[in-house]
Amino acid sequence: MRYKHRMYFKYINLKNFFCLITLLACLLGVFKGMPVTPAVANNEKIVRIGYYENPPFQIGATVDMTKDGYAYDYLQRLKLYNNWKYEYVYGSYGKLYSKLLNGEIDLLAGLAYTPERASVISYPRDAMGETKYYFLKLSSNSQITSELSTINGKRIGVLKGAQVGVVNQYLAEHNLSAQLVEFGDIKERDEAIIDGQIDIMMAESDGTSPDVGIEVFADVGSSAYYLVANKARPDILEDLNKSQELMKRENPHFINDLSRKWFKKSILTTTLLPNERKWLDEHDTFKVGYLTAFLPYSAKDESGNVVGVITDIVPEIFRVLGDADIKIDYVGYSTAEELINALHNQEVDVVFPGLSNAWISEQHDIITSEPVVNSNFNILYAGAYPDMSRARIAISRRNGIMDPFRKLFYPKNEVLYFDDIDDCMDAVKRGEADVIIVSELRTEYLLRRKESYKDLNTAQLTNDVDLGFAGLTTNPEIIRLINHGLSLIDDDFALTHAYSYMPKHEVSLLNFFKNNIWVPLLGLMLFFSVIFYFVIRENRKNREHLAESEAHRMELSDKVEEISVLNNELQDRQARLEEYASETETHLMETKALNALLQEQQTKLEESIEAAEAANKAKSTFLFNMSHDIRTPLNAIIGFTELGERDPDNIAKNTEYRQKIKNASHQLLDILNSILEMARIENKNMFIEEEITDANELFDSCLIMFEGDMRKKNLTLTSSFDIQHRFLYIDGTHMSEVVMNVISNAVKYTPEGGNIYVTVKELPGDTDGECILEIRVQDTGIGMSKEFVTHIFEQFSRDRNSTQSGIQGTGLGMAIVKSLVGKMRGTINVNSELGVGTEIIISTPHRIGELPSSEENDQNDEEKADFSGKRILMAEDNDLNAEIATFVLEDAGFEVERAVDGIECFNMLMKHDIGYYDLILMDIQMPNLDGYGATEKIRRLADGGRSKIPIVALTANAFKEDQEKAFAVGMNAHLAKPIDVEKTLATLQEILG
């Protein structure tokens, strides 16, 4: 098969491959051009369903959750009778009810009828269900009984809405007087009765009550609830009425079946009766008798431990009854007779399993519980199928089910009793008995217990029986308690657990060979075949060898002279063989090198694919996270610009608008700078360059930047510097960026009147000549959740977005800080508590420097520069940027001439005399010829007057590597956009003198 694959791919050359791709592309284009048939038929009616979470009534009230529940099944049933297609609208009940009134949804389930609602929403003729109401009280409250007069003067807790009317009607009908206390939700009502704020609470039958000793003492009444429609959609109401009528005709019991399915656990089933609670209070141990060899229902393993369904279902019954701490004692018995005797002797409270049959129970003077599991039975027999009306039945005395089953369905048959199940099966094999009756779950295991049993046949009987618990007629409350628990667990609980206790059949090696005799025979045949083959081969070789020896002996005397010739020929062949081996080894090495190259290219290709996928994912993440924060300042810029255009004569307002536009512009610039900084870090284009730095001055300058913001928010700053070596090797730019990012967050997220603490402490370094700076920034701000702290260094991560917090940010600040600290070989730790504040601890290692020599750097204040008579050639392809720059420069006194690209800039310089232009402002990214190319072209001129003209880069390429490239091609300075007027004029003054 592998060879065929190689042959197949051998004939697929590159040309055929591209032809195949072209053909597929054409076919895809044809299919794309064809009209697509919609998945929804044209006659389907879209119905908007209001869907709220209320288990088990409605489940799955979000897009990605699985839907289920009473109302969901009801809605799906309605689709059988109409052409509806549902669109689900999610929300709380209150919000969805408002949407129904506003016409934003068409149907909402679970509303009771009131005249006020009927005036604004449409009710169908038939209800979708009915809720019964009951009065409940604490079991310990003896003042309230089933005598209704004890309700007078009591406080009754009800939920707001339809329940109020139901209670008032009940009180009026029974001439009772009580105080109604209304609650907004079920939890408040339940807590109120527990805390004694109310005496009675009314609850729906479909609900459950807290397990704190609450019991039902009165039936209040009932109330229907409906699937209601939007008043503006009479067509949907008409469809709903027709569908409900058809549903009633097709299945009159659908509502009842649906209620039994979803409301199995109700107020009545989840609350204990007084006698049940009394029994549990008086007993701390429950004794269960079981058969010691009757898996999967019960047994005792080799270690003496109880196993089987009994160990699962008994604890589950008491767990759902709210008494999971009760001690359960399992008492094992060998035979069914011993088990029943133990029950009558009151050694145990109940026994399991027992046949849930009234007649059998009466014979033994016991009562049985509701079924735990329904069991089918098979017969095992030898030969032809027996006549069951006359068959002799083998019964095991250890089995408590076989004989009662036989008495029920085969009472007249002859019975043969044996000690255990193996004796019964042996009796059937010998012909002493005709059949043995066994549980269907045990049939396969029993047939495989012994090799001789596999010849027995099996057939299923048509009768089945229920198995359950059995107790004494004198203690019926125990069986009622068991029945109560069984009603609260799944019907298939016992059957589901039974399979895990079925004995596993293990096949021995001897039995395997007996059942598969061909395996050893085939092995022997193969063994002797191999021996025969080698014997024949050796004989053939020996004969050939003897023949060759004889021929050589006869020809030896005649061919002595040929030996030398043959020897020379052999040597020649040996030389050629060695040469061939050398060539083969060379080809092998070339092949290995080629394979290594291909493997390397494959690895690079996989890395490229991963990088492309990562880049695509990063792009999606960037667009998703940054859309809001970029749009916010843009919206401010556009909005205040439009406001200014509406009222151009209002100077005060327009001044305010311009200031806000400027602030928003700086905010947008900060966002873009953070994004670009993160991109440089990820692309490994950022390097740490340390130089002698005054540490005190560096950190002082960082704090000064935030004095204005702190004064505005009335924040108190406490700072302390404990630095023994003032001059250290520090990357001042990046260290400032780290510290300012952290302090900026503290200022942002600390409310007015708060405190900020900044401490810098020098710690001993790991090596001589080195120290560690520990920087702590602590605030009394809003803090962060523990969950968010683990994600704080992830890109775009924010505990709350800017819409929720009102604080702008990219979510990149701490990611940048983490990366920069890592580049500086440092560590960063975050301690934060929501509502208390945050502490950031940064530790970075630094080489200790020496105190630099004193230099006179003080300069007299310079007068404002006068650029009158100076002419600048500005190369800028963007009209808007050019207009702004021209205005700034002309306002400073410059004459400005513009070129739109590098070629025009060069031509204009060459066109005029030397000295006509004093300086060139050069954009970098321009069409035809960029700023780098134009600068190199100018610097290569032989004319020194033009080639040495000052050239200053004015560009949006603002990174350090962009500055280095500008200086590398011969530029005199580098200015970043957007224009910083003061820095720009200062740079031009420095160059022009």
Side-chain angles (χ1 to χ4, degrees):
M1 192 63 162
R2 189 178 302 169
Y3 172 75
K4 291 182 178 180
H5 288 168
R6 291 201 299 267
M7 292 298 293
Y8 175 75
F9 286 111
K10 179 179 178 181
Y11 292 104
I12 299 181
N13 56 31
L14 191 59
K15 181 177 179 181
N16 292 338
F17 177 74
F18 280 111
C19 289
L20 179 60
I21 294 298
T22 305
L23 179 60
L24 290 174
C26 294
L27 291 174
L28 287 174
V30 171
F31 286 130
K32 185 175 180 182
M34 295 174 64
V36 179
T37 304
V40 179
N42 293 329
N43 62 345
E44 283 188 323
K45 181 184 294 184
I46 302 299
V47 178
R48 298 165 299 174
I49 303 294
Y51 203 87
Y52 55 92
E53 189 74 20
N54 184 22
F57 185 70
Q58 282 186 155
I59 302 170
T62 59
V63 175
D64 56 347
M65 287 181 63
T66 301
K67 292 175 177 54
D68 215 340
Y70 181 98
Y72 183 75
D73 284 356
Y74 188 87
L75 289 167
Q76 298 307 308
R77 185 67 174 218
L78 289 178
K79 288 174 69 175
L80 296 176
Y81 312 107
N82 53 56
N83 61 339
W84 289 352
K85 176 177 176 59
Y86 295 147
E87 286 186 357
Y88 295 98
V89 180
Y90 305 104
S92 66
Y93 169 82
K95 291 183 179 179
L96 292 173
Y97 183 73
S98 299
K99 289 180 180 289
L100 181 69
L101 298 181
N102 296 333
E104 298 178 45
I105 60 174
D106 302 315
L107 291 177
L108 185 63
L111 275 73
Y113 178 86
T114 64
E116 293 80 12
R117 286 178 178 171
S119 64
V120 292
I121 57 179
S122 298
Y123 283 86
R125 288 190 292 269
D126 295 328
M128 69 180 297
E130 182 180 64
T131 297
K132 291 186 177 181
Y133 298 103
Y134 297 93
F135 278 156
L136 288 85
K137 71 178 183 70
L138 290 174
S139 301
S140 59
N141 189 346
S142 59
Q143 296 180 357
I144 303 173
T145 67
S146 57
E147 178 61 39
L148 298 184
S149 61
T150 58
I151 297 176
N152 282 317
K154 300 300 187 294
R155 298 163 299 176
I156 303 176
V158 297
L159 297 180
K160 295 178 181 179
Q163 287 193 11
V164 178
V166 174
V167 174
N168 284 328
Q169 181 180 352
Y170 180 83
L171 296 175
E173 290 176 353
H174 294 83
N175 196 24
L176 300 172
S177 175
Q179 176 188 351
L180 266 63
V181 181
E182 299 183 20
F183 296 95
D185 60 43
I186 295 173
K187 183 179 180 181
E188 292 179 6
R189 180 202 65 190
D190 293 347
E191 291 175 349
I193 195 170
I194 295 170
D195 297 338
Q197 300 174 21
I198 58 175
D199 307 302
I200 301 169
M201 76 175 188
M202 190 179 82
E204 300 174 350
S205 61
D206 300 338
T208 58
S209 67
D211 183 21
V212 291
I214 294 179
E215 61 185 45
V216 175
F217 74 92
D219 184 346
V220 180
S222 62
S223 173
Y225 52 88
Y226 296 81
L227 178 64
V228 299
N230 180 355
K231 201 77 171 179
R233 295 299 302 269
D235 58 320
I236 292 180
L237 180 63
E238 181 181 357
D239 292 345
L240 179 57
N241 282 323
K242 290 180 181 178
S243 299
Q244 288 179 330
E245 182 63 30
L246 290 172
M247 186 167 62
K248 281 195 304 184
R249 293 180 184 178
E250 183 179 285
N251 185 359
H253 307 294
F254 177 72
I255 297 297
N256 291 334
D257 294 341
L258 202 58
S259 296
R260 282 194 296 271
K261 173 183 177 182
W262 287 107
F263 302 131
K264 181 176 182 179
K265 293 185 179 181
S266 66
I267 286 293
L268 291 177
T269 60
T270 56
T271 56
L272 295 175
L273 295 174
N275 62 328
E276 295 173 340
R277 188 172 298 281
K278 179 181 178 183
W279 193 95
L280 289 174
D281 292 339
E282 293 175 351
H283 295 80
D284 58 1
T285 303
F286 187 72
K287 294 184 178 181
V288 185
Y290 69 95
L291 289 175
T292 57
F294 197 58
L295 285 177
Y297 305 111
S298 63
K300 183 180 293 185
D301 64 13
E302 296 176 354
S303 302
N305 299 318
V306 187
V307 294
V309 173
I310 190 173
T311 61
D312 296 317
I313 196 163
V314 176
E316 180 67 11
I317 288 173
F318 284 100
R319 186 192 67 79
V320 297
L321 290 175
D323 195 12
D325 295 330
I326 191 170
K327 180 182 177 183
I328 302 171
D329 283 346
Y330 300 98
V331 185
Y333 298 93
S334 299
T335 66
E337 183 178 0
E338 293 176 1
L339 190 66
I340 296 299
N341 290 337
L343 179 62
H344 283 291
N345 294 334
Q346 297 187 357
E347 297 174 14
V348 293
D349 297 312
V350 295
V351 297
F352 178 83
L355 242 60
S356 293
N357 179 271
W359 182 79
I360 294 294
S361 300
E362 189 176 21
Q363 302 304 307
H364 293 282
D365 195 20
I366 59 176
I367 53 176
T368 55
S369 69
E370 294 295 330
V372 173
V373 65
N374 179 271
S375 178
N376 292 313
F377 284 84
N378 294 341
I379 59 170
L380 303 181
Y381 60 94
Y385 184 80
D387 181 358
M388 287 303 296
S389 64
R390 295 182 295 178
R392 295 168 299 171
I393 302 176
I395 298 293
S396 169
R397 293 187 180 91
R398 294 180 178 272
N399 190 307
I401 304 300
M402 293 168 59
D403 204 31
F405 181 86
R406 191 272 311 169
K407 290 179 181 179
L408 281 176
F409 301 108
Y410 304 99
K412 298 181 180 181
N413 289 55
E414 181 182 351
V415 182
L416 301 172
Y417 291 98
F418 297 92
D419 290 336
D420 55 35
I421 194 70
D422 287 336
D423 291 344
C424 293
M425 297 182 73
D426 290 337
V428 173
K429 283 287 294 181
R430 294 192 303 267
E432 296 178 21
D434 298 316
V435 297
I436 177 175
I437 300 174
V438 297
S439 169
E440 185 178 40
L441 289 175
R442 292 165 54 86
T443 301
E444 183 179 358
Y445 166 71
L446 293 174
L447 288 175
R448 297 167 63 179
R449 279 170 63 88
K450 294 182 180 180
E451 183 67 22
S452 59
Y453 293 164
K454 72 176 185 178
D455 295 330
L456 294 178
N457 299 317
T458 180
Q460 187 177 32
L461 297 175
T462 58
N463 310 105
D464 59 355
V465 295
D466 293 324
L467 303 181
F469 291 88
L472 293 177
T473 56
T474 56
N475 293 321
E477 64 275 4
I478 297 178
I479 294 301
R480 291 203 302 269
L481 191 67
I482 292 292
N483 286 340
H484 194 160
L486 290 174
S487 70
L488 295 176
I489 64 179
D490 295 334
D491 295 336
D492 61 349
F493 181 90
L495 185 61
T496 303
H497 286 72
Y499 289 108
S500 62
Y501 296 107
M502 286 303 300
K504 297 175 176 58
H505 179 70
E506 298 181 357
V507 180
S508 66
L509 184 62
L510 180 60
N511 286 337
F512 173 78
F513 284 128
K514 286 182 178 179
N515 295 332
N516 303 276
I517 191 63
W518 58 271
V519 173
L521 292 178
L522 182 61
L524 289 173
M525 291 176 61
L526 182 61
F527 175 74
F528 286 116
S529 298
V530 171
I531 292 176
F532 184 69
Y533 166 75
F534 281 109
V535 170
I536 293 177
R537 189 182 69 171
E538 289 301 318
N539 287 335
R540 184 176 66 252
K541 286 184 177 180
N542 289 335
R543 289 196 300 270
E544 292 174 354
H545 181 68
L546 290 174
E548 290 175 0
S549 298
E550 182 66 19
H552 284 302
R553 187 184 64 80
M554 294 176 63
E555 296 175 0
L556 185 60
S557 57
D558 299 330
K559 296 185 177 179
V560 172
E561 67 277 7
E562 296 178 4
I563 293 178
S564 58
V565 176
L566 292 175
N567 186 45
N568 293 335
E569 184 179 347
L570 181 61
Q571 292 178 354
D572 183 54
R573 290 181 179 181
Q574 181 67 26
R576 289 199 302 269
L577 183 60
E578 291 176 355
E579 182 181 354
Y580 175 74
S582 177
E583 292 176 356
T584 303
E585 184 176 358
T586 302
H587 290 317
L588 181 59
M589 293 177 63
E590 291 175 351
T591 303
K592 287 182 179 179
L594 181 60
N595 286 338
L597 180 61
L598 290 175
Q599 183 64 32
E600 181 182 356
Q601 291 177 346
Q602 176 68 19
T603 303
K604 291 181 179 179
L605 179 60
E606 292 174 354
E607 291 176 351
S608 300
I609 293 173
E610 291 177 359
E613 292 175 348
N616 187 53
K617 183 177 180 181
K619 180 183 70 175
S620 301
T621 304
F622 166 78
L623 293 175
F624 178 78
N625 286 279
M626 295 311 302
S627 175
H628 176 270
D629 287 335
I630 290 179
R631 287 175 180 270
T632 298
L634 283 178
N635 182 60
I637 294 170
I638 296 171
F640 286 118
T641 302
E642 291 182 355
L643 290 175
E645 291 175 351
R646 292 181 182 180
D647 191 8
D649 299 328
N650 192 331
I651 298 175
K653 280 291 182 182
N654 276 277
T655 301
E656 178 185 352
Y657 294 155
R658 285 194 297 274
Q659 183 59 39
K660 291 180 178 180
I661 290 171
K662 185 177 180 181
N663 293 340
S665 301
H666 285 299
Q667 182 183 353
L668 181 60
L669 182 60
D670 289 342
I671 293 172
L672 294 176
N673 284 339
S674 294
I675 297 170
L676 294 173
E677 180 71 11
M678 198 68 231
R680 293 177 67 240
I681 293 172
E682 288 183 342
N683 291 330
K684 301 179 180 178
N685 290 331
M686 190 274 293
F687 303 96
I688 299 299
E689 297 182 359
E690 295 181 336
E691 57 186 17
I692 288 290
T693 304
D694 186 335
N696 286 334
E697 182 178 324
L698 172 68
F699 293 117
D700 272 332
S701 64
C702 292
L703 294 179
I704 290 171
M705 297 294 292
F706 296 96
E707 287 183 353
D709 293 334
M710 292 186 185
R711 281 197 296 269
K712 289 179 183 178
K713 297 183 68 176
N714 193 23
L715 301 178
T716 300
L717 172 66
T718 303
S719 63
S720 66
F721 300 153
D722 182 9
I723 304 175
Q724 287 77 36
H725 300 90
R726 178 174 177 179
F727 294 94
L728 302 172
Y729 283 90
I730 303 175
D731 187 327
T733 301
H734 290 123
M735 177 60 80
S736 298
E737 185 174 358
V738 168
V739 175
M740 292 175 67
N741 251 313
V742 175
I743 297 177
S744 174
N745 282 344
V747 174
K748 283 182 184 178
Y749 296 106
T750 301
E752 291 191 9
N755 295 288
I756 297 176
Y757 306 91
V758 179
T759 62
V760 182
K761 184 176 182 180
E762 180 180 325
L763 301 176
D766 295 332
T767 59
D768 293 338
E770 184 181 83
C771 68
I772 295 176
L773 288 183
E774 182 186 77
I775 306 164
R776 290 178 179 261
V777 180
Q778 184 178 2
D779 63 63
T780 59
I782 61 176
M784 295 174 284
S785 64
K786 292 182 180 179
E787 292 78 10
F788 176 71
V789 169
T790 60
H791 302 284
I792 189 173
F793 298 119
E794 297 176 4
Q795 295 182 28
F796 311 111
S797 63
R798 285 176 286 182
D799 200 2
R800 294 176 293 171
N801 59 37
S802 58
T803 302
Q804 295 170 325
S805 65
I807 301 172
Q808 297 296 330
T810 62
L812 290 172
M814 292 307 292
I816 293 173
V817 168
K818 175 70 172 177
S819 299
L820 290 176
V821 171
K823 289 280 188 179
M824 289 186 271
R825 300 178 294 116
T827 62
I828 180 170
N829 295 295
V830 180
N831 302 315
S832 185
E833 184 175 348
L834 201 61
V836 176
T838 301
E839 181 183 35
I840 308 292
I841 305 171
I842 300 170
S843 299
T844 54
H846 300 280
R847 289 178 294 149
I848 298 173
E850 297 179 354
L851 180 67
S853 59
S854 300
E855 294 182 0
E856 295 295 333
N857 294 321
D858 296 337
Q859 297 180 356
N860 296 327
D861 294 338
E862 298 180 0
E863 298 181 356
K864 184 176 180 181
D866 182 10
F867 298 108
S868 301
K870 300 293 184 180
R871 184 179 288 107
I872 288 180
L873 173 58
M874 179 173 61
E876 173 62 69
D877 64 316
N878 185 279
D879 294 337
L880 182 59
N881 291 341
E883 182 179 353
I884 294 171
T886 300
F887 177 81
V888 171
L889 295 171
E890 289 180 347
D891 185 62
F894 284 105
E895 295 180 17
V896 181
E897 295 184 12
R898 177 193 174 193
V900 297
D901 58 33
I903 293 177
E904 186 176 358
C905 175
F906 180 82
N907 293 337
M908 290 177 67
L909 178 66
M910 298 300 296
K911 177 180 177 182
H912 294 92
D913 296 335
I914 296 174
Y916 179 78
Y917 295 113
D918 298 289
L919 182 142
I920 298 176
L921 274 181
M922 185 75 73
D923 188 16
I924 298 301
Q925 294 188 5
M926 296 183 294
N928 300 323
L929 182 64
D930 63 16
Y932 296 136
T935 300
E936 290 176 333
K937 192 172 182 180
I938 292 171
R939 294 303 187 216
R940 288 197 299 267
L941 291 172
D943 185 353
R946 290 187 176 89
S947 66
K948 296 181 180 179
I949 185 171
I951 302 176
V952 177
L954 182 59
T955 175
N957 296 353
F959 292 127
K960 188 168 184 178
E961 54 266 31
D962 300 315
Q963 299 178 21
E964 293 174 351
K965 186 172 182 180
F967 292 133
V969 298
M971 293 186 179
N972 301 85
H974 181 281
L975 296 172
K977 297 177 183 177
I979 296 176
D980 185 330
V981 177
E982 293 181 1
K983 183 177 181 180
T984 300
L985 296 180
T987 301
L988 297 181
Q989 183 181 10
E990 180 181 351
I991 294 174
L992 297 175

